[in-house]
Amino acid sequence: MLGRITSSLATRGLQRLLISRTPACAERLQWSSIPREVSTSTSSFQQHEQSIQKDNTDFTAKNGKETTYVEEEVAKFRLMASSWWDPHGDCKPLHSLNKLRVSMICDGLIQSGIAKPEYAEGPTPLKGLKILDVGCGGGILCEPLARLGASVVGLDAAEENITVAKLHAEQDPKVHQNVEYLYGTIEEHAERVNETYDAVIASEVLEHVESTDLFLSTCAETIKPGGSFFITTINKTPFSWVGGIAIAEYVLHLLPPGTHDWNKFIPRQELLFVLEKYGFVTRLVHGMGYNPLTNSWFWLSDTSINYAIHCVKEK
Ligand SMILES: C[S@@+](CC[C@H](N)C(=O)[O-])C[C@H]1O[C@@H](n2cnc3c(N)ncnc32)[C@H](O)[C@@H]1O
């Protein structure tokens, strides 16, 4: 136990050092993941929405197997489908979160040695890498990663979100050529692919799924040995109830009330323990803070509310 705490402290010291010394990717990317000239209009979404066969069937009922899918959680994001790309709407904090998470992913892939060295200094440092973004929503994180050269698969359990993501990607050729969007759950996808991806991302998703253990082990199956797993989520602490739910949803109205259920938050130590169980070595754990006045995120040593993890699957 003491060993784990000591090694966690040592890792965190190293992590802070790595973050502070590696602004490389941040400097290369235009953070505006909402290109001004392209936006998915509500009307074009609505046209597509009408063509979607509404299928709210519980995935468990479909195949009788254990699932990570929770209909009432996915329904919240299905309802938000037309506002994913509204820079002033409910997803505003997810857009601004790109500044932290894209640099963490890009720098993490370069530093862990999986990114191709020949592209590391150029405008597409992620060229040649296959990345899966699980629970991609409308593609807010997929798009900047595709612009950095990665081949990105965006997967989401709400078909409406996939429709919006596809429509938006079509408007930028640089994104369109590098991104593929798929409708389904992680366990359905893992049945079709095995150790395929150089990196898997689950950003702001873990707190909306059933069975953290199943979700993480299934994600792990899709990652190549030596590949990376990036997670951002919310800690289970009294502070996360106050800051992440009471203030964010009911005082500042940053998110619709009811977006988060405190019972589904994951204690940081528990998450690290499960990742270790599935063969991951932790490289980085960071707290993330949000300033609602400037709509900007910043790294923190305090992980009591939002936090990010980068871990690598053992070879
Ligand atoms: C808070 S949103 C995060 C969107 C995106 N990752 C981002 O940060 O911009 C959570 C997303 O996870 C999706 N989701 C929930 N459960 C899922 C599951 N079991 N498999 C795949 N996607 C899931 C939801 O439909 C929703 O779009």
Side-chain angles (χ1 to χ4, degrees), residues 128-132 153 189-190 192-200 219-225 313:
L129 298 184
K130 286 188 75 172
I131 296 180
L132 173 67
V153 172
H189 189 61
R192 295 189 292 269
V193 300
N194 186 35
E195 298 194 335
T196 300
Y197 295 103
D198 297 295
V200 169
C219 286
E221 287 169 21
T222 70
I223 303 175
K224 289 178 187 171
K313 187 171 171 179

Side-chain angles (χ1 to χ4, degrees), residues 2-19:
L2 188 61
R4 187 174 290 145
I5 292 169
T6 318
S7 79
S8 145
L9 289 174
T11 312
R12 285 173 65 183
L14 178 65
Q15 290 148 6
R16 251 167 252 143
L17 204 65
L18 290 175
I19 278 283

Side-chain angles (χ1 to χ4, degrees), residues 2-3 7 24 37 57 63 69 84 86 113 140 144 149 164 180 191 214 220 236 276 297 301 306:
L2 188 61
S7 79
E37 71 276 19
T57 317
N63 58 21
Y69 179 89
W84 283 108
D86 174 358
I140 294 171
V164 169
E180 181 187 8
E191 279 183 10
L214 177 66
K236 192 172 191 175
E276 196 179 314
W297 290 83
S301 55
N306 296 85

Side-chain angles (χ1 to χ4, degrees), residues 73 76-77 204 207-208 234 244-245 249 255-262 265:
E73 290 293 323
K76 295 173 191 170
F77 299 102
E204 309 304 303
E207 62 274 23
H208 301 289
I234 308 176
I245 296 182
E249 296 182 13
L255 296 165
T259 301
H260 290 118
D261 172 357
W262 187 82
F265 291 172

Side-chain angles (χ1 to χ4, degrees), residues 7 112 114 195 197-199 216 219-229 272-283 310-315:
S7 79
S112 65
I114 201 155
E195 298 194 335
Y197 295 103
D198 297 295
L216 296 172
C219 286
E221 287 169 21
T222 70
I223 303 175
K224 289 178 187 171
S228 285
F229 195 4
L272 292 173
F273 179 77
V274 178
L275 287 168
E276 196 179 314
K277 184 170 84 173
Y278 291 117
F280 289 97
V281 176
T282 305
R283 281 183 65 91
H310 171 203
C311 55
V312 171
K313 187 171 171 179
E314 279 174 319
K315 291 191 181 170

